[in-house]
Amino acid sequence: MTSSRRLSRRSAALVGAVSLSLLAAGCGAQDSSSSAASRDTVSYWLWDSNQLPGYEACAKGFEKENPGVRVDLSQIGWDDYWTKLTASMIAGTEPDVFTDHITKFAQFVDLDVLAPLDELPATRGIEDSDYQPGLAASWVGQDGHRYGAPKDWDTIAMFYDKKKTDAAGISAQTLNSLDWNPADGGSFEKTVARLTVDTKGRRGDEPGFDKNNVRTYGLASNDAGEGDGQTQWSAFAASAGWSYTDKKAWGTHYNYDDKAFQSTIDWYFGLAKKGYLAPYTVFSQSNQADVQLGSGKAAIALHGSWMTKTIYGFKGIDARTALTPVGPSGKRATMQNGLADSLTQRGAKKPAAQKWVAYLAFDACQTVIGRQGGVFPATKAGTDAAIAAYRKEGIDVTAFTRPVADGTTFSFPITNYAADVAGLMRPAMQNVYANGAPVGSLTTTNRQINLILSQGG
């Protein structure tokens, strides 16, 4: 592909990614980037407000080591983050460095807006072995270049209210030894049924239970899961022996037509038909799984480790965590996602920006973030610091860390056209959950997705 053609494609794709109204919203980022135009000022964007204090501390440490350099941080909420980032790239006001997501970076690489870290003096020393297993390799593109420096990682576990499990006679030991299967749901479904209570106080495993009038659901709803199901069905599908694509990374064929996947989805959303899983109508952006758990509307919520401090901070519940259940494969499974810091082509022209990415990538910053106790940083020392911080607050995070040690984790699907996959799977999965569409309808969606992937780069 010629450079001129690549530039034309980049411009067209970026413009197509946002509407004019979203471009207007994106202009809010322009002041930050323009003020950071100085060679010695580095602009850095992130979306997590909980991590902002930690990165402010990292910025101070970096500035102390690099006199005359200033880091300009901008925190933008997740709902607006990608829109504004894309808009800034159109306007030429993109940040030097930004927090990147594994499902997004392939498109940015294809559009030639990211700098390969392995080719730059300050960052070429980053190695896979510097981080927890599997994290760094995910950020290597199809061209063999590294486009992200790992910053943190997360896994999925079951959060539960001990008050509710105690009332139901369910022990922590039981919760950590559950199994499931698509035929009868195994001990997991029995437990969820036991934890479900209707408006007259009858449990889901008791005679007369009214599935249409439920006071407390055994399992919280967290939308339909689009194409990854991270905090919904991913742990079940993977523990059934299923994988998203034909290859671990850069797959060319999705497997949403696979029998193991479709039987898992049929069983999972079938829990809603039985009254054990909160129905689709319960979910909203203001009533997500954590809120359902915190308000007493649900007893269990599958969620990510990044929600630990939030959920443990809810008043009125006694929050605990448990491992995801063992599936038909005979193993547990939990999605491990890892964020990274990416350097834009604009930022690559600044030695200070290169140095900032390198500073973020190692213990000088990651142990600072770990001591905040909000996420697990990517380096071992950073992870250890986070575990110690949680322990100091009386929080046991074994449910999140043990799967990493046991090797029972799996990654987000890493492919081209991730936005197209999500765009097709979102309504297809919602149709199954909300409208009871047959899971066989996902075969048609899968065919459409694979047709898009077959078009190549």
Side-chain angles (χ1 to χ4, degrees):
M1 181 180 294
T2 65
S3 59
S4 60
R5 182 180 172 188
R6 189 173 187 85
L7 180 60
S8 174
R9 178 182 178 188
R10 169 188 171 184
S11 300
L14 286 172
V15 170
V18 291
S19 66
L20 290 176
S21 61
L22 295 182
L23 277 175
C27 291
Q30 191 165 357
D31 289 343
S32 172
S33 293
S34 60
S35 67
S38 165
R39 183 178 179 84
D40 294 324
T41 299
V42 180
S43 53
Y44 178 56
W45 287 15
L46 70 163
W47 64 74
D48 190 349
S49 59
N50 292 327
Q51 292 191 59
L52 184 58
Y55 283 102
E56 288 174 337
C58 286
K60 290 180 180 178
F62 176 73
E63 291 168 351
K64 186 176 181 180
E65 288 189 11
N66 297 272
V69 174
R70 186 173 72 87
V71 179
D72 182 15
L73 282 75
S74 294
Q75 183 268 319
I76 302 167
W78 173 267
D79 290 341
D80 297 321
Y81 186 83
W82 300 105
T83 298
K84 291 191 174 185
L85 182 61
T86 304
S88 73
M89 289 175 178
I90 296 171
T93 57
E94 66 269 24
D96 299 317
V97 183
F98 66 94
T99 298
D100 206 349
H101 194 281
I102 198 68
T103 61
K104 307 289 185 179
F105 98 99
Q107 182 181 23
F108 288 137
V109 171
D110 191 47
L111 297 172
D112 198 27
V113 293
L114 300 185
L117 301 182
D118 52 300
E119 290 188 341
L120 301 172
T123 55
R124 65 165 58 108
I126 294 173
E127 300 287 347
D128 290 4
S129 58
D130 295 327
Y131 307 100
Q132 298 285 6
L135 294 181
S138 297
W139 291 92
V140 175
Q142 289 174 286
D143 59 4
H145 291 299
R146 187 184 306 283
Y147 290 97
K151 64 191 289 95
D152 57 44
W153 60 271
D154 54 71
T155 52
I156 307 301
M158 296 193 303
F159 288 93
Y160 66 94
D161 181 359
K162 188 174 182 295
K163 292 181 180 180
K164 286 184 167 50
T165 56
D166 283 352
I170 300 169
S171 68
Q173 182 179 0
T174 295
L175 289 165
N176 279 293
S177 58
L178 297 177
D179 61 68
W180 82 277
N181 67 75
D184 62 15
S187 60
F188 176 82
E189 182 171 329
K190 289 182 175 63
T191 298
V192 169
R194 180 68 184 165
L195 290 168
T196 303
V197 183
D198 69 16
T199 53
K200 292 186 178 180
R202 295 170 298 202
R203 295 187 177 277
D205 60 353
E206 295 176 341
F209 168 70
D210 184 357
K211 67 179 183 179
N212 297 313
N213 291 284
V214 176
R215 182 177 69 208
T216 301
Y217 293 96
L219 185 61
S221 165
N222 209 11
D223 204 355
E226 297 186 358
D228 58 77
Q230 182 183 21
T231 57
Q232 296 87 7
W233 42 260
S234 69
F236 300 103
S239 64
W242 177 79
S243 57
Y244 294 95
T245 59
D246 56 340
K247 293 188 290 186
K248 187 173 182 180
W250 306 111
T252 59
H253 181 98
Y254 273 86
N255 299 321
Y256 299 123
D257 57 350
D258 186 90
K259 181 180 178 180
F261 174 74
Q262 293 190 2
S263 63
T264 297
I265 297 302
D266 195 35
W267 164 78
Y268 180 79
F269 290 125
L271 294 174
K273 297 176 183 178
K274 297 175 181 179
Y276 308 153
L277 167 68
Y280 182 79
T281 52
V282 167
F283 173 81
S284 70
Q285 290 302 314
S286 60
N287 190 37
Q288 298 187 44
D290 57 305
V291 176
Q292 294 167 40
L293 182 67
S295 65
K297 288 293 293 181
I300 294 175
L302 270 77
H303 225 313
S305 53
W306 65 88
M307 292 297 296
T308 301
K309 293 190 78 170
T310 297
I311 292 176
Y312 272 74
F314 285 141
K315 295 181 179 179
I317 71 169
D318 185 0
R320 304 293 172 92
T321 55
L323 296 162
T324 57
V326 174
S329 68
K331 297 180 180 180
R332 307 179 191 281
T334 182
M335 178 179 281
Q336 183 181 23
N337 182 36
L339 303 180
D341 290 306
S342 288
L343 182 68
T344 63
Q345 293 284 9
R346 169 194 179 102
K349 299 174 183 177
K350 297 182 180 181
Q354 294 182 34
K355 290 180 180 179
W356 171 238
V357 174
Y359 189 84
L360 291 169
F362 294 108
D363 290 339
C365 178
Q366 297 209 6
T367 53
V368 170
I369 300 301
R371 287 193 289 270
Q372 299 282 320
V375 295
F376 297 112
T379 66
K380 185 180 185 303
T383 294
D384 290 344
I387 293 172
Y390 281 121
R391 186 184 299 118
K392 189 174 181 180
E393 295 187 40
I395 298 174
D396 180 5
V397 292
T398 303
F400 300 109
T401 59
R402 178 176 160 184
V404 177
D406 290 348
T408 56
T409 64
F410 60 95
S411 174
F412 264 96
I414 303 172
T415 68
N416 290 318
Y417 303 106
D420 298 280
V421 175
L424 286 167
M425 285 297 289
R426 182 182 301 113
M429 294 299 292
Q430 289 177 343
N431 197 28
V432 173
Y433 187 9
N435 303 320
V439 293
S441 62
L442 298 174
T443 297
T444 299
T445 305
N446 191 72
R447 191 178 301 119
Q448 294 170 335
I449 290 170
N450 288 335
L451 179 61
I452 292 173
L453 262 64
S454 71
Q455 305 304 307

